[in-house]
């Protein structure tokens, strides 16, 4: 035992980490789009939840507003909006979405960012750096994407710390629709689960492809479908769903009509 | 175009408004050129529009160049022009809506941006969607095609809009105004909304997938 070389110790360590990483990855992929439950909570869940919304530029944000029209702020008492830097306009849109969501519960009093209301809880806006600026070269794009990914992970972490559902609990669900930041946030949540920072029953991701996409997916949609890391991937046109699912032996995307109003 | 004014339809007593919008993100010069072409302007006057507003975006200068004030005075409709509306086009679209005793059914000629299209369809105003051919990833024309196929809107082209006879945009105006009963948006989309999907994801309600699993499990034990 005494003559164990350093090399042996290190290689065994690497092997253990690698194997457990693979097991975790396998388990994580199995859990995707399957109901995996928080064992501490009885189902159906009646307690409050924490949701994350990824906002992008004008068109996507307007659509998101329509998608979220029926969200009940008394159930989703903590709502985090993630926007990318430079989309200054989107933070106003987050307020518009909140106005709509809260309208039935707050008698016209919309809470401002960070305020905690007894009925409608709290909402907040988090800013992450852009993955790619216009006219940026390929090499710097790789770096800035990585930086964006790391900030997304940090953002999900900080929003979990300040969660009013239960401090240090990660968000329950993430909603995204088309912007490039969506890929980064979904990937960040996946990595947090892979590395064991977050349990796999947290941060269930729902991706809704833009209503404007009739026959083909957007770039964000293509990347996310290829990575297969979304728990729910929804498109809004039947033709698009048929194009992707083909023979229908394995349902890759879901379609049940228009989700926008 | 100032020629035979007498032959045209009489000016309607109530308001009949047309809104032409190029959008806020991409430049769409061709749509401004097309809608100011002789054939389209004549068609709008023939249909009896009393007010036409133009959202010109970046092409505001071009608009003034193509329609100088002395020419504007010769038109049978009132022209309103602006680059952008900071509060959105909602108010402008509402003016095109039919209100009994106040205004007749109007028309919106729009670029193929999803936001504007949805706004117009929600209000039930006749709509012509003109895809921008200079956008590289042209999923816009797919949307316009599908909306026309399903009867929600009319697809407008600008390829031959500048021709005096057989202008495709002028023809689209004919079709859009003749569509007696448009398909109203929102009747068929009573589906499971995103809020329900979220409830399923967090486990607040049972998802269909889960029920499938459960029945499989039950079958297995039998």
């Amino acid at each position: 035992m005494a003559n164990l070389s350093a090399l042996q110790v290190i290689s065994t360590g690497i092997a253990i980490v690698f194997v457990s990483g693979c097991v975790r990855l396998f388990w994580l992929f199995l859990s995707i789009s399957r109901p995996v439950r928080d064992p501490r909570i009885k189902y159906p869940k009646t307690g409050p939840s924490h949701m994350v919304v990824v906002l992008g530029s004008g068109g996507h944000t307007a659509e998101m507003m329509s998608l979220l029209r029926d969200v009940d702020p008394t159930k989703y008492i903590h709502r985090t909006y993630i926007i990318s830097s430079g989309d200054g306009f989107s933070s106003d849109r987050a307020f518009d979405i909140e106005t709509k969501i809260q309208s039935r519960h707050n008698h016209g009093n919309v809470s401002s960012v960070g305020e905690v209301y007894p009925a409608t809880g709290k909402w907040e806006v988090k800013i992450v750096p852009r993955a790619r600026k216009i006219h940026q070269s390929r090499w710097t794009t790789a770096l800035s994407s990585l930086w964006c990914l790391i900030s997304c992970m940090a953002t999900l972490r900080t929003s979990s710390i300040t969660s009013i559902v239960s401090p240090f609990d990660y968000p329950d669900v993430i909603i995204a629709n088309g912007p490039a930041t969506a890929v980064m946030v979904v990937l960040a949540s996946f990595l947090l689960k892979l590395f064991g920072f977050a349990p796999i029953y947290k941060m269930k991701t729902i991706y809704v492809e833009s209503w404007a996409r009739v026959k083909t997916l957007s770039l964000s949609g293509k990347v996310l479908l290829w990575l297969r890391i979304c728990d729910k991937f929804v498109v809004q046109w039947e033709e698009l769903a048929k194009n992707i699912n083909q023979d229908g032996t394995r349902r890759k995307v879901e379609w049940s009509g228009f989700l926008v109003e | 175009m100032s020629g035979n004014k007498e032959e045209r339809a009489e000016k309607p007593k109530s308001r009949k408004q047309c809104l032409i919008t190029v959008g806020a993100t991409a430049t769409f010069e061709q749509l401004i050129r097309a809608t100011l072409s002789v054939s389209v302007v004549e068609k709008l006057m023939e249909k009896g529009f009393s007010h036409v507003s133009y959202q010109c975006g970046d092409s505001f200068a071009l608009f003034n160049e193509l329609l100088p004030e002395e020419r504007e005075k010769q038109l049978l409709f009132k022209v309103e022009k602006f680059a952008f509306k900071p509060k959105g086009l909602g108010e402008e679209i509402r003016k095109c809506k039919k209100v009994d005793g106040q205004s007749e059914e109007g028309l919106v000629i729009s670029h193929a941006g999803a936001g504007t299209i949805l706004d117009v369809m929600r209000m039930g105003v006749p709509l012509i969607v003109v895809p921008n051919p200079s956008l590289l990833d042209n999923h816009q024309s797919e949307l316009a095609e599908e909306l026309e196929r399903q009867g929600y809107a009319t697809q407008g082209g600008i390829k031959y809009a500048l021709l005096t006879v057989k202008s495709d945009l002028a023809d689209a105006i004919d079709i859009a105004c003749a569509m007696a009963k448009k398909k109203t948006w929102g009747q068929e989309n009573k589906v499971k909304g995103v809020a329900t999907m979220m409830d399923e994801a967090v486990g607040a309600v049972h998802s269909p997938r889960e029920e499938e699993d459960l029945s499989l499990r039950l079958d297995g034990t039998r």
Side-chain angles (χ1 to χ4, degrees):
Chain A
M1 277 314 260
N3 49 11
L4 252 176
S5 73
L7 186 72
Q8 277 172 315
V9 174
I10 292 169
S11 58
T12 315
I14 290 173
I16 291 172
V17 169
F18 181 74
V19 170
S20 53
C22 287
V23 170
R24 177 85 181 172
L25 190 65
F26 183 67
W27 188 36
L28 196 50
F29 270 114
L30 269 185
S31 80
I32 281 172
S33 78
R34 292 270 143 204
V36 181
R37 300 304 192 203
D38 183 346
R40 296 168 303 169
I41 296 176
K42 249 169 107 184
Y43 284 96
K45 184 186 182 188
T46 47
S49 301
H50 177 183
M51 66 184 273
V52 172
V53 180
V54 187
L55 295 182
S57 58
H60 287 306
T61 306
E63 237 186 285
M64 187 56 92
M65 202 165 165
S66 179
L67 294 178
L68 296 179
R69 64 188 180 275
D70 288 331
V71 169
D72 184 351
T74 61
K75 268 196 236 166
Y76 296 88
I77 59 167
H78 189 165
R79 302 170 296 280
T80 305
Y81 297 88
I82 297 184
I83 64 176
S84 59
S85 62
D87 279 346
F89 199 56
S90 290
S91 61
D92 296 342
R93 275 347 236 317
F95 182 79
D96 292 344
I97 294 176
E98 276 300 314
T99 311
K100 198 167 186 179
I101 289 179
Q102 293 183 24
S103 62
R104 265 173 283 168
H105 302 274
N106 263 355
H107 313 290
N109 285 326
V110 182
S111 63
S112 48
V113 182
E115 260 186 312
V116 183
Y117 271 35
T120 54
K122 158 176 129 167
W123 66 284
E124 59 188 350
V125 175
K126 301 273 183 191
I127 297 168
V128 294
R130 222 163 240 289
R132 182 176 185 271
K133 292 186 189 78
I134 303 163
H135 308 306
Q136 198 180 330
S137 79
R138 198 181 299 167
W139 290 107
T140 51
T141 302
L143 278 178
S144 62
S145 299
L146 187 66
W147 177 231
C148 175
L149 183 65
I150 292 169
S151 343
C152 287
M153 288 165 76
T155 302
L156 290 171
R157 172 93 188 131
T158 50
S159 80
S160 81
I161 292 170
T162 58
S163 168
I164 62 165
V165 175
S166 163
F168 292 98
D169 254 12
Y170 275 90
D172 296 283
V173 62
I174 298 175
I175 315 283
N177 67 347
T181 325
V183 181
M184 290 301 166
V185 175
V186 173
L187 196 57
S189 75
F190 184 83
L191 291 178
L192 284 170
K193 288 191 245 182
L194 179 63
F195 296 144
F197 291 104
I200 58 165
Y201 47 78
K202 286 286 178 185
M203 296 192 281
K204 289 283 173 187
T205 47
I206 301 176
Y207 179 83
V208 182
E209 185 55 281
S210 167
W211 177 78
R213 290 296 178 153
V214 179
K215 285 179 187 159
T216 50
L217 289 175
S218 65
L219 185 58
S220 302
K222 277 178 193 151
V223 172
L224 285 175
L225 190 69
W226 179 73
L227 289 170
R228 298 197 178 190
I229 53 175
C230 289
D231 290 288
K232 216 178 197 20
F233 196 112
V234 199
V235 299
Q236 303 196 49
W237 293 89
E238 191 174 14
E239 203 180 339
L240 178 55
K242 277 183 185 157
N243 282 350
I244 297 168
N245 292 339
Q246 299 286 346
D247 52 350
T249 44
R250 192 186 174 281
R251 269 204 311 175
K252 289 183 190 161
V253 299
E254 290 176 40
W255 170 83
S256 63
F258 300 132
L259 297 169
V260 289
E261 187 185 50
Chain B
M1 133 184 8
S2 59
N4 34 5
K5 271 185 185 178
E6 307 77 41
E7 281 175 26
R8 297 213 180 84
E10 262 181 44
K11 213 171 177 178
K13 283 161 216 109
S14 61
R15 192 185 179 93
K16 182 168 169 146
Q17 175 131 0
C18 176
L19 169 67
I20 291 156
T21 167
V22 302
T25 14
T27 316
F28 199 0
E29 214 175 74
Q30 299 107 303
L31 184 59
I32 287 296
R33 282 186 193 279
T35 50
L36 287 177
S37 68
V38 177
S39 52
V40 172
V41 168
E42 295 225 324
K43 184 61 79 185
L44 287 173
M45 294 200 285
E46 182 195 310
K47 293 287 169 197
F49 283 96
S50 64
H51 294 73
V52 180
S53 44
Y54 297 84
Q55 185 264 311
C56 312
D58 301 338
S59 316
F60 194 67
L62 175 85
F63 182 91
N64 286 326
E65 196 182 299
L66 289 173
L67 191 74
E69 270 190 28
E70 60 270 20
R71 234 190 100 193
E72 191 183 314
K73 279 174 198 150
Q74 297 168 349
L75 301 176
L76 289 175
F77 49 75
K78 267 209 186 100
V79 172
E80 201 199 324
K81 53 193 174 185
F82 47 87
F84 303 100
K85 283 267 149 122
K87 282 186 175 174
L89 287 170
E91 198 48 51
E92 293 299 317
I93 299 167
R94 206 162 293 128
K95 283 184 196 163
C96 302
K97 212 179 156 176
K98 183 180 175 171
V99 180
D100 284 327
Q102 282 178 40
S103 53
E104 285 181 52
E105 185 132 88
L107 175 69
V108 177
I109 302 177
S110 169
H111 72 114
T116 316
I117 293 177
L118 281 170
D119 282 342
V120 176
M121 294 201 314
R122 250 177 247 141
M123 288 193 217
V125 176
L127 170 67
I128 296 176
V129 180
V130 184
N132 190 342
S134 60
L135 291 181
L136 276 180
D137 174 21
N138 209 347
H139 63 272
Q140 286 198 339
S141 61
E142 289 173 5
L143 178 64
E145 243 167 59
E146 190 63 22
L147 287 174
E148 182 170 67
R149 204 179 63 78
Q150 301 202 7
Y152 287 114
T154 310
Q155 192 181 185
I158 47 171
K159 215 170 165 187
Y160 309 109
L162 300 177
L163 300 181
T164 21
V165 280
K166 283 205 163 182
S167 151
D168 43 5
L169 191 55
D171 287 349
I173 295 174
D174 262 335
I175 297 168
C177 289
M179 264 168 127
K181 192 82 193 102
K182 324 163 290 296
K183 201 162 158 190
T184 25
W185 170 254
Q187 283 178 330
E188 283 167 43
N189 24 355
K190 294 247 180 293
V191 289
K192 184 171 73 181
V194 171
T196 319
M197 289 180 189
M198 282 165 54
D199 286 349
E200 283 172 11
V202 301
V205 291
H206 289 289
S207 69
R209 185 69 70 87
E210 197 175 342
E211 276 152 25
E212 259 171 47
D213 282 4
L214 209 65
S215 63
L216 277 178
R217 228 176 292 153
L218 288 174
D219 289 346
T221 53
R222 217 172 277 161

